[in-house]
Amino acid sequence: MIALLLILIPLLSGIVTFLIKKEEGARTWSLLSAIATFVVAIIGFTCYSNTAALSFKAPWMGILNSSFSLSADGMGAMLCMLTAISFPLIFVSTWNTIYKKAHNFLGLMLLAQAGLMGVFLAMDALLFYFFWELALIPVYFICSQWGGERRIKITFKFFIYTFIGSLLMLVGILYIYSKTNSFDIAAFYNSNLPLKEQMWIFWLFFLAFAIKMPVFPFHTWQPDAYEQSPTAATMVLSGIMVKMGVLGLLRWLLPVLPLASFSWGDTVSTMAVIGIVYASLIAFQQDDMKRLVAYSSIAHIGLMCLAVFAENKSALQGTMIQMFSHGINILGMWIIVEIIERKFGTRKMSELGGIAKKAPALTIFFFIIAFANIALPLTNAFIGEFLMFNGILGVNPQISKYGLPLAVTAGLGIILGAVYTLKMARKVFLGETNHLTEQGTDIAFHEKAILGIIAVTIIVAGVYPQPLLHSFEEITNSILNKSDVLHLLKPKH
Amino acid sequence: MNALVLSAIFGVVMMFSGVLFKKNAAIKTTGIVAMILLFLANCMEMRGIRLFQFDVSGFLAFDSYALFFNAIAIFATLVYLLITSNQMEKVGRNFADYLALIFFIIAGITITTSFKSLLTLFLGIEIISIPLYILTGSDKKNLKSNEAALKYFLMGSFSTGIMLMGIALIYGSQGTFTIDKMSFTLAAKSNLHIAGMLFLLFAMSFKASVAPFHFWTPDVYDGAPTVFTSFMATIVKAAVFAGFVRLFGGAFGKLEDTWSIWVAIMIAATLFVGNITAVFQQSVKRMLSYSSIAQAGFLLFGVYAMNDAAREGLLIYSAAYCLATIGIFAVLSKMTDYSFEGFNGLAKHQPVLAFTTTICLLSLAGIPLTAGFLGKFYMLKAAIMTGHHLWLVIFAVVMAAVSVYYYFRVIQAMYFKEGPVQSVTATRFEKYTLIAVCALIILLGIFPGTFLGWLYF
């Protein structure tokens, strides 16, 4: 029931938002809806730990053997939680940003939220595909309507990219369905396709996820899209939507096609590592803050992809906690970029400087988030990255022989990450003020409140991650069990 | 049987209605009422109530599949009349005749979907084609319309000749016209019936505008008055496919190994030509012509796969495609400027029309929660079920992604670009009908079971 509510609340209130023509009313209504979703999520995931309360199943499309089946396992619950936290924060932080026809904007945002919740909860391949597309359509409209100057072309590129990916995934889903005759996730887990078939179906699924995450070399849509989208949409795209790809890998790829995931593991890991280093190098060159954060996001996601294919407990747990941390951190990053752009009218680092003198509170929050971005100890990202590196280094030599070189190269990317993040901090916040930043004022109370929530989350999760890690325990083990290829590869005598 | 006889009678009635009534409104009302009656009569037959009893057992078989298809075709025509009849009046003075011709085409469709003998197939296809030649040229003073009609007629007659040749060869090898009495075996392959089969394949492909027999399509669709293009590109095309499937499933099912590779190549060619050419069009009407070729490629999967999923898929696909395309053409026929720029800023001036067009375009592009998605889904599923030529499926989805490019150009123009105020007007009734069409598209996309349940009554 909780699972159903998480989708229904944003869906219905989103439709209602379209009808509220008054801007103030629409904003209040959408914020209330987002808070309601958040409350339901909090109550649902803390008070009810039994699966019966967290799942929902109803017949749907009986002729296709597809059912409307939702369930929140540890990973799904965490991502729903992330979505539920993010939306109120996004709505409050963009409260003063002016949108033409705000009610349409907010309505579409809520529809996107419903789609995202669906993706994280769907336990039926067809339903998963439906939500996968549904999350995309509102974002497409938001970005092409309210984005920057080149928005139409850029968003379209993004849309076509992801649409090709998801159609290929549909072929993959259909192929497995033609063997299992059911879209249920359990049937998919039991499909046991022969290696030869897995080898090419793997790419149908992986392309969809790789484009969404994005993994090098399928990332070319991403920096442009992040830059041109309105910041609220960028937050959704980078904070939550990229997690759809990682979730896809963990829930729909590794356990469904274990043999192929094992066989292609090194190829994919190499792509991920190239992506980490490449994105970090480019991020280093950027002058636009939005583009810098966008490239740094590619590097972080690349690391998650690398860890997933290490296929051990430490790496998977690290990936899951990092999904949450990355969502929170990048959200904070965007909020700060949005505030700076609104206050000073530019995102170019070369035109800014000395903000620390004018806006000390903003600077403190920025540094906390920046430290989290470079995974300093005591921040949430440290836990995730430590676990992931631990997993990659300790990868079972039967799964991959290249654990050490991969980890070292990826580590290089992380060092570069520290360099460019601190470079941004220096250029924007430190130094002398110039004519643009001279008139700067500090942030308002509601902005302090949001950034405060984010900073507290960063530190709490960094100091005491045990409850989070504990909630991933079960799902990690079950993924590892299903994707354990080593017992399949053992000689059968 | 009900629909066949009644549509012929109503056709004659409509012809005389032009003499009896002076006002177009009265003619229109008669036409719509007659179409509703026709739909009801067809539904009655689906429930087993037959109004007419003739022995046509050797020639026609009104099985549930054929009846269901007729129901879709008649319903789509009804929707078409409701939305576009105002535009139809403006084409020329012979409004009653246009309606009469449409009823005759419905009669042809009912024959094509339920034929049992090659002769009745030929009859059905011709009864569909000849009124279409006339409708194409109905804008008498427009040179393009005249050219299109002549072109269509010449090419159409040529393909009819090939079809007859094919039928003759088949008769020569089998000694019968009835499709279920034919006994082809792979072992006794004779050149005679292989040649005959290929001739029929080519002739049907021509009628369905499948590449490489599609060259007439863009010119004819572009030249014909927009209201009739809408009818030609949707209901008629879907009906030809129903006949196509019946012919190849019924008569040549056992020879599948010989023709399936041909059909596979034709699917690939059709998808490629239709989608890639549509990308480069500047006029929405021409884009829709090429898109209809592209959609024919997906419909052809129904012939290629020849399993239950394909049969169901053809029904859903036809319904989805007809509804969506009629919805778009209804808006297009009201526009003065058919180019993509003509749609600029439509969302501001006509939000309802822009919204319905968007839903229709999303359905054509195959976005989930619309009927168009399920149509494509079924077709792909059917093709995967056959278990070979998987490259074709992957090629088809890549082409589907290409199609998003040109469908979304219209959406971009309507919503994200500024344009001059346009004099597009639509009556309240037309708007409600369009909204109902969109609701139907979405309902069909979410609950296909309710719709397909009719098939198994």
Side-chain angles (χ1 to χ4, degrees), chain B residues 126 129 133 147-163 202-203 206-207 212-220:
Chain B
E126 278 304 276
S129 298
Y133 302 146
E147 185 201 329
L150 186 64
K151 201 178 238 174
Y152 193 19
F153 177 66
L154 288 177
M155 304 279 272
S157 326
F158 192 63
S159 84
T160 308
I162 291 180
M163 187 172 189
F202 297 156
F206 175 88
K207 296 290 180 194
F213 309 98
H214 67 281
F215 288 100
W216 60 275
T217 320
D219 290 342
V220 171

Side-chain angles (χ1 to χ4, degrees), chain A residues 2-19 29-30 32-34 36-37 68 70 83 87 91 103-104 106-119 127 130-131 133-135 137-138, chain B residues 368-369 442 446-447:
Chain A
I2 301 282
L4 187 64
L5 275 180
L6 285 177
I7 296 174
L8 274 186
I9 295 174
L11 182 69
L12 296 179
S13 58
I15 293 170
V16 172
T17 315
F18 286 115
L19 306 173
W29 169 256
S30 55
L32 282 179
S33 145
T37 316
F68 195 92
L70 305 170
T83 315
F87 270 80
F91 284 144
H103 59 283
N104 287 346
L106 297 164
L108 287 168
M109 286 288 277
L110 287 174
L111 291 189
Q113 190 188 14
L116 288 164
M117 291 285 191
V119 170
L127 192 66
F130 263 58
F131 281 120
E133 291 282 342
L134 276 198
I137 303 278
Chain B
L369 286 196
I442 290 173
I446 304 178
F447 304 109

Side-chain angles (χ1 to χ4, degrees), chain A residues 60 63 130 144 156 163-164, chain B residues 373 378 401 404-405 412 416 446:
Chain A
W60 178 62
I63 43 171
F130 263 58
S144 344
F156 200 35
F163 194 64
I164 291 181
Chain B
F373 167 73
Y378 264 92
V404 169
Y405 177 81
Q412 286 172 354
F416 312 135
I446 304 178

Side-chain angles (χ1 to χ4, degrees), chain A residues 60-61 63-64 100-101 126 129-130 133-134 137 140-141 144-145 151-153 156 159-160 163-164 167-168 170-172 174-175 177-178 181 183 200 204, chain B residues 358 365-369 373-374 377-378 380-381 384-385 390 393-394 397-398 400-401 404-405 408-409 411-412 415-418 445-449 452:
Chain A
W60 178 62
M61 296 216 195
I63 43 171
L64 292 174
K100 240 170 141 189
K101 292 197 179 166
L126 192 61
Y129 180 79
F130 263 58
E133 291 282 342
L134 276 198
I137 303 278
Y140 167 75
F141 277 95
S144 344
Q145 182 83 296
R151 61 184 191 274
I152 298 180
K153 273 199 169 160
F156 200 35
F159 186 80
I160 296 259
F163 194 64
I164 291 181
L167 277 176
L168 290 175
L170 179 66
V171 175
L174 273 172
Y175 190 84
Y177 168 73
S178 75
N181 205 24
F183 284 108
W200 62 270
L204 297 178
Chain B
T358 306
I367 305 287
L369 286 196
F373 167 73
L374 270 181
F377 175 85
Y378 264 92
L380 295 177
K381 179 182 150 198
I384 288 176
M385 293 286 186
L390 279 165
V393 177
I394 293 179
V397 300
V398 172
V404 169
Y405 177 81
F408 272 57
R409 266 179 78 189
I411 298 181
Q412 286 172 354
Y415 280 93
F416 312 135
K417 291 187 178 154
E418 301 290 328
I446 304 178
F447 304 109
L452 280 177

Side-chain angles (χ1 to χ4, degrees), chain B residues 39 59 61 75 109 156 171 182 203 225 231 256 306 358 370 389 410 431-432 436 452:
Chain B
F39 181 66
F59 293 98
F75 182 75
I109 289 174
Y171 184 76
M182 294 178 186
F231 189 65
E256 196 169 342
M306 244 359 137
T358 306
T370 61
H389 296 312
V410 183
K431 281 183 186 168
Y432 284 132
L452 280 177

